[in-house]
Amino acid sequence: MGRRALPDSVHKPLLATLRGERQDRPPVWLMRQAGRYLPEYRALRAEKGGFLALATDPEAAAEVTLQPIRRFGFDGAILFSDILMVPWAMGQELSFGAGEGPRLSPTLLTRKLAELSPDVARLAPIYATVRRAAASLPAATTLLGFAGSPWTVATYMVAGQGSKDQAETRAFAYADPVAFAAIVDAIADLTVEYLAGQIASGAEAAQLFDSWAGSLSPEQFERWVIEPNARIVAALRARCPGVPIIGFPKGAGDKLRAYAEGTGVDALGLDETLDPVLADAMLPPGLPVQGNLDPLALLTGGEALTRGIARVLAAFPERPHIFNLGHGIGQHTPIAHVEALLRQVRG
Ligand code: CP3
């Protein structure tokens, strides 16, 4: 029986927490939980011949979305896709070479945005993935959609690849703020469509990944992180009322409270560099948070893991809390460490 046929009263601990209801034990999921640390992922990826082939095959991508749920019973399943599908739909070519990071071409250093030919049909298989995953998830599991935030996505579109400190893109934004604003606005507009499409297909909440928010000066953070994310949140809230949005401005540090208040996100992802006790004291009471175990503590296991988990669990005595990492799970993480994490978090 499909999940949609079940009564509305089925309790979903993750969704309830995102709506502000604290649970006795925090619900748990892990960023990048579908991926290379799982042998079943590596097998399906090899069978499909690469990341993009896998991510654009709805049957296979829905299967990858479900793999960590079957193995670990996480409270949330995150759509298996990538933040770079948006630049791909905006007309850049996208490749994920083995052993190197993703590549986008032409870069927006060499070509203007207006010279690209958008092809939003490239997003259609992703909506089909969401529909398939939604139809076969356990009733208590929450399905999360996601997109990259405009700043982080722009860093890849401008440089054509990941870069150490996003210097080309930060310099571009200083040198030509009008052209850069047009890029950020175009990403934000498509992101609203894209997330609304995921939600219409069955996503119950959505996360905005701003992985490189930490490289910006306070003024740039206001202009390129807070402003466009606020616009996305407002537009989505109008179109999809009641669907929680998680903001994850990695590296925001002392700008976290301004991000929370300025964007209006429903919940906040905390990276591993934040002291969770200080974050709890700094943030508006009642705002749900997610995080913030160091992925390297999970990779290491043993005492580092046990202590790290205990510290996160103790940090939020009253606030709605979702247990997660401070960033994505590393590809060499032993499965036994994920099992140990779940035993400790679930008590
Ligand atoms: O969380 C999940 O399980 C859902 C799937 C997901 C992927 N990418 C799959 C993926 C999500 C949510 C992302 C987000 C993403 N992608 C971000 C934001 C979060 C973060 O980690 O900061 C960013 C910056 C990207 C861009 C990206 N995609 C990079 C830099 C890379 C290469 C580096 C790496 O970690 O492998 C990817 C490839 C990618 N996206 C893989 C996966 C499982 C590995 C591809 C492979 O199978 O070889």
Side-chain angles (χ1 to χ4, degrees), residues 32-34 36 41 45 51 78-79 81-82 102 156 211 327:
R32 295 288 193 102
Q33 67 189 19
R36 287 168 297 187
Y41 169 82
R45 183 185 187 279
F51 179 84
I78 182 158
L79 160 69
S81 184
D82 197 84
Y156 288 95
S211 308
H327 195 198

Side-chain angles (χ1 to χ4, degrees), residues 15-302:
L15 190 58
T17 309
L18 290 171
R19 294 195 165 131
E21 227 180 78
R22 185 182 161 85
Q23 313 294 305
D24 293 338
R25 280 274 152 193
V28 50
W29 70 281
L30 303 179
M31 289 188 274
R32 295 288 193 102
Q33 67 189 19
R36 287 168 297 187
Y37 74 108
L38 292 176
E40 58 269 36
Y41 169 82
R42 295 194 298 269
L44 196 50
R45 183 185 187 279
E47 187 191 314
K48 292 294 163 185
F51 179 84
L52 200 54
L54 182 57
T56 54
D57 176 332
E59 193 180 345
E63 170 59 24
V64 172
T65 304
L66 292 163
Q67 282 174 346
I69 308 306
R70 283 203 199 100
R71 191 187 264 272
F72 302 115
F74 291 124
D75 296 286
I78 182 158
L79 160 69
F80 179 73
S81 184
D82 197 84
I83 66 164
L84 301 181
M85 296 305 195
V86 162
W88 190 49
M90 289 172 77
Q92 287 183 309
E93 287 314 314
L94 172 62
S95 62
F96 292 87
E100 51 176 49
R103 294 280 191 278
L104 288 167
S105 67
T107 75
L108 295 182
L109 289 174
T110 59
R111 215 66 67 78
K112 289 191 163 56
L113 186 64
E115 294 169 52
L116 303 178
S117 309
D119 182 5
V120 293
R122 284 174 165 174
L123 301 176
I126 301 168
Y127 304 137
T129 301
V130 176
R131 285 194 295 274
R132 278 178 177 267
S136 36
L137 270 182
T141 312
T142 301
L143 182 57
L144 304 168
F146 76 92
S149 281
W151 161 252
T152 288
V153 173
T155 66
Y156 288 95
M157 294 188 76
V158 168
Q161 56 184 291
S163 56
K164 200 166 169 293
D165 53 9
Q166 299 79 50
E168 300 95 329
T169 312
R170 285 192 292 135
F172 185 127
Y174 278 124
D176 195 344
V178 173
F180 192 65
I183 294 170
V184 163
D185 286 348
I187 298 168
D189 288 346
L190 184 55
T191 299
V192 170
E193 293 306 313
Y194 181 43
L195 289 177
Q198 292 179 25
I199 291 162
S201 305
E204 300 166 297
Q207 176 155 326
L208 287 161
F209 284 88
D210 219 339
S211 308
W212 308 126
S215 61
L216 294 170
S217 69
E219 293 78 9
Q220 286 192 316
F221 186 88
E222 177 69 38
R223 179 69 186 88
W224 308 122
V225 172
I226 295 181
E227 280 184 32
N229 284 300
R231 220 159 55 69
I232 292 171
V233 169
L236 274 176
R237 193 156 287 146
R239 276 173 67 164
C240 314
V243 177
I245 302 161
I246 310 165
F248 177 51
K250 181 167 148 36
D254 58 9
K255 301 186 272 312
L256 196 65
R257 188 185 172 103
Y259 174 94
E261 290 175 342
T263 60
V265 291
D266 299 281
L268 202 53
L270 307 179
D271 70 62
E272 71 274 18
T273 68
L274 287 161
D275 179 331
V277 174
L278 295 183
D280 188 52
M282 165 182 30
L283 292 170
L287 179 73
V289 297
Q290 170 181 285
N292 71 333
L293 182 72
D294 188 345
L296 287 180
L298 182 59
L299 176 78
T300 308

Side-chain angles (χ1 to χ4, degrees), residues 328-341:
I329 185 170
Q331 66 168 307
H332 302 298
T333 304
I335 283 172
H337 295 183
V338 178
E339 291 166 348
L341 178 154

